[in-house]
Amino acid sequence: MPNWNRTQLGDQPVLGLSIDYPIALDKSMKTPFDAEIIRKDFPAISLHNLAYFDNAATAHKPQVVIDTIRSFYTTENANVHRAVHHLSQQATFKYEESRKIVADFINAANEREIIFTRGTTEGINLVAFSYGSLLEAGDEILISTMEHHSNIVPWQMLCERKNCVLKVIPINPQGEIIEEKFEELLNEKTRLVAITHISNTLGTINPVKRLVEKAHKTGAKVLIDGAQSAQHLCIDVRDLDCDFFVFSGHKAFGPTGIGVLYAKEAILEKMPPYQTGGEMIESVSFSKTTFNSLPFKFEAGTPHIAGAIGLASALQYISQFDRTQIAEYEKQLLYHAERKLSEIENIRFFGQSKNKASILSFNIKNVHPYDLGVLLDKQGVAVRTGHHCTEPLMDFFGIPGTVRASFAFYNTFEEIEKMEFALKKSLRLLL
Ligand SMILES: *Cc1c(COP(=O)(O)O)cnc(C)c1O
């Protein structure tokens, strides 16, 4: 029996959550999800007596991911796409299988649309450089107030290079995109809308499908920053109809140094290479070089082979569960934290969108977020403090930073109560 049922948790909406869930699960043949059980899959969680609430920065890795990487280096280890020897062929097979697993995970039409990158940041830089080279002076790019620096600076640099214009979609005080303003900003000069799926600071889930539809009406392409959504939502890039989707392995329980750029094949075909060198070429002579086919055109040099294989195992790990059930559980964690913390005097939450992921940002009057972060850590609670790489968003709220607790499916209600207790104790020391 799960420890998170309606009767314990009060009257918040509990979409689709029912106590007899194993019956529902029989239909989808998924592993029953129970936070107490899956915690045991994450060795770093068991090792520390720490409520780890910094999942929006990076998530812990299940043992299967660690074993997969270790096994690759221990028993296989060869370069890909190069040699005839069997180890290389095996590495190539696994690397390309991983690409298929990623393609399935986000429902891409085929694996040529999956480019392995170092992470979200590199994915956005790739698009800004390569798709950006197709833009002309006066073309417009739209981003929003709540973007991560990774989804701001590459566009600023592109606008400087190409004399394009960067425009910002405003948000309301609840931390939601103002859609009427978005529509006003869209016009025939808009070539790209680059927007986060879930705000890493506020938890807002943006209505990206609707935004894509609106952008496409004026002929603009859309890039979705999925750094916070790939691990929390079921992603279907064909249903969203986005042109680009980027995410990082390390936030989705996979290794660091690996990420994914999805793009529609027809767009990738038109884009020039981003980096050049080995692997991305078809033939090289000193007079002319022709480029390799997709996706290799965008993967110059030896890729992060073990990283890609590790990422695929992380995605398979989370796919064994009913993901909507995980999303429900995470929502319950968020509600529980909101309820518990709202008892604290002079607390202010940032991000009050109706549609939210399990990220809770807050400040307490007259207390610096950093001081709270340090005191919480001393009591075994890991949160993030600061601007969370969203300085323009901090300016919007007129604050230097927040305390951010971001939850994953291995967190528990007890851990949230530990945070509440630790927060109250810290405040007695500070105020
Ligand atoms: C973390 C994050 C990024 C950057 O991801 P990296 O893994 O550091 O490249 C970009 N956007 C959002 C919304 C993020 O949360």
Side-chain angles (χ1 to χ4, degrees):
M1 199 57 71
N3 62 352
W4 38 282
N5 61 45
R6 204 184 299 255
T7 42
Q8 274 177 310
L9 293 170
D11 53 8
Q12 290 291 344
V14 189
L15 293 171
L17 175 67
S18 72
I19 294 161
D20 58 352
Y21 74 98
I23 296 163
L25 278 172
D26 282 342
K27 288 188 216 141
S28 52
M29 302 296 283
K30 297 281 184 182
T31 309
F33 166 72
D34 183 329
E36 289 298 345
I37 293 174
I38 66 142
R39 281 170 76 77
K40 300 196 177 78
D41 293 341
F42 292 80
I45 295 266
S46 318
L47 200 61
H48 307 282
N49 183 21
L50 183 70
Y52 182 80
F53 293 154
D54 197 15
N55 295 287
T58 202
H60 283 304
K61 323 302 172 200
Q63 188 66 47
V64 62
V65 170
I66 299 160
D67 290 347
T68 300
I69 296 167
R70 187 188 159 95
S71 154
F72 174 74
Y73 284 127
T74 311
T75 66
E76 298 170 16
N77 185 53
N79 211 332
V80 293
H81 305 137
R82 281 176 175 77
V84 293
H85 64 79
H86 80 276
L87 277 187
S88 171
Q89 287 183 358
Q90 197 167 326
T92 305
F93 176 77
K94 285 207 168 171
Y95 183 66
E96 292 307 322
E97 278 298 299
S98 303
R99 199 189 305 276
K100 285 194 191 128
I101 290 165
V102 172
D104 275 354
F105 185 77
I106 59 171
N107 199 30
N110 65 64
E111 60 271 18
R112 292 184 298 283
E113 300 183 322
I114 304 297
I115 316 289
F116 284 119
T117 63
R118 279 198 299 122
T120 303
T121 304
E122 191 180 46
I124 297 173
N125 275 277
L126 191 162
V127 177
F129 179 88
S130 172
Y131 176 76
S133 74
L134 307 173
L135 302 196
E136 283 163 16
D139 284 346
E140 296 180 1
I141 296 165
L142 295 187
I143 58 173
S144 85
T145 309
M146 69 175 89
E147 297 312 314
H148 189 282
H149 295 165
S150 294
N151 200 25
I152 301 175
V153 187
W155 308 118
Q156 284 175 330
M157 302 280 290
L158 169 63
C159 287
E160 272 178 37
R161 281 199 305 277
K162 303 281 289 188
N163 279 319
C164 296
V165 184
L166 188 64
K167 294 195 167 168
V168 183
I169 312 159
I171 60 170
N172 65 23
Q174 286 74 47
E176 298 164 311
I177 296 273
I178 306 175
E179 283 189 57
E180 303 82 69
K181 300 275 184 210
F182 170 61
E183 284 171 43
E184 280 168 35
L185 285 168
L186 278 174
N187 65 65
E188 68 287 349
K189 281 187 281 181
T190 316
R191 296 292 304 279
L192 187 79
V193 178
I195 193 145
T196 194
H197 200 169
I198 295 180
S199 159
N200 63 306
T201 302
L202 306 174
T204 310
I205 303 177
N206 284 316
V208 286
K209 189 176 172 180
R210 201 159 62 226
L211 303 181
V212 168
E213 213 178 289
K214 287 176 181 168
H216 281 174
K217 281 197 182 125
T218 63
K221 304 276 183 260
V222 181
L223 176 142
I224 297 176
D225 173 350
Q228 297 295 338
S229 64
Q231 64 278 40
H232 291 299
L233 306 175
C234 296
I235 304 298
D236 182 337
V237 287
R238 277 188 281 174
D239 179 57
L240 293 174
D241 198 27
C242 54
D243 302 284
F244 304 98
F245 187 95
V246 289
F247 68 98
S248 299
H250 69 101
K251 293 181 181 178
F253 315 103
T256 52
I258 188 82
V260 172
L261 161 66
Y262 156 84
K264 286 179 181 164
E265 191 173 358
I267 302 174
L268 285 175
E269 288 291 359
K270 291 199 193 98
M271 286 164 49
Y274 166 53
Q275 292 181 338
T276 54
E279 185 62 41
M280 54 72 64
I281 48 84
E282 186 183 65
S283 75
V284 177
S285 72
F286 287 120
S287 57
K288 173 133 185 80
T289 293
T290 53
F291 303 127
N292 204 340
S293 56
L294 289 174
F296 312 110
K297 182 170 94 175
F298 291 103
E299 290 181 5
T302 299
H304 188 1
I305 306 162
I309 296 170
L311 170 60
S313 96
L315 301 183
Q316 284 183 314
Y317 175 82
I318 51 179
S319 300
Q320 73 183 294
F321 303 107
D322 178 343
R323 308 256 335 266
T324 54
Q325 200 176 42
I326 289 179
E328 258 328 302
Y329 177 72
E330 291 175 342
K331 201 179 278 180
Q332 292 306 319
L333 290 174
L334 177 72
Y335 290 153
H336 195 60
E338 260 174 10
R339 267 200 299 276
K340 287 288 174 191
L341 267 50
S342 58
E343 292 165 11
I344 294 170
E345 231 177 285
N346 289 324
I347 192 163
R348 180 179 171 201
F349 295 110
F350 298 90
Q352 309 258 285
S353 170
K354 284 181 281 301
N355 203 6
K356 261 195 76 162
S358 52
I359 293 174
L360 190 61
S361 258
F362 59 91
N363 274 338
I364 294 161
K365 199 172 163 187
N366 300 327
V367 181
H368 198 283
Y370 178 83
D371 293 340
L372 270 184
V374 170
L375 288 175
L376 285 178
D377 179 56
K378 295 243 184 303
Q379 298 170 83
V381 179
V383 293
R384 184 62 163 260
T385 64
H387 56 61
H388 318 298
C389 296
T390 53
E391 279 190 56
L393 182 62
M394 296 297 105
D395 293 344
F396 172 81
F397 285 112
I399 51 173
T402 72
V403 180
R404 180 186 72 184
S406 50
F407 310 116
F409 60 175
Y410 42 59
N411 290 130
T412 64
F413 296 97
E414 290 73 31
E415 287 180 315
I416 284 170
E417 279 149 32
K418 182 178 177 184
M419 172 169 71
E420 179 204 5
F421 184 83
L423 258 177
K424 287 179 175 166
K425 190 167 169 191
S426 311
L427 291 171
R428 283 197 296 276
L429 292 169
L430 289 167
L431 290 172

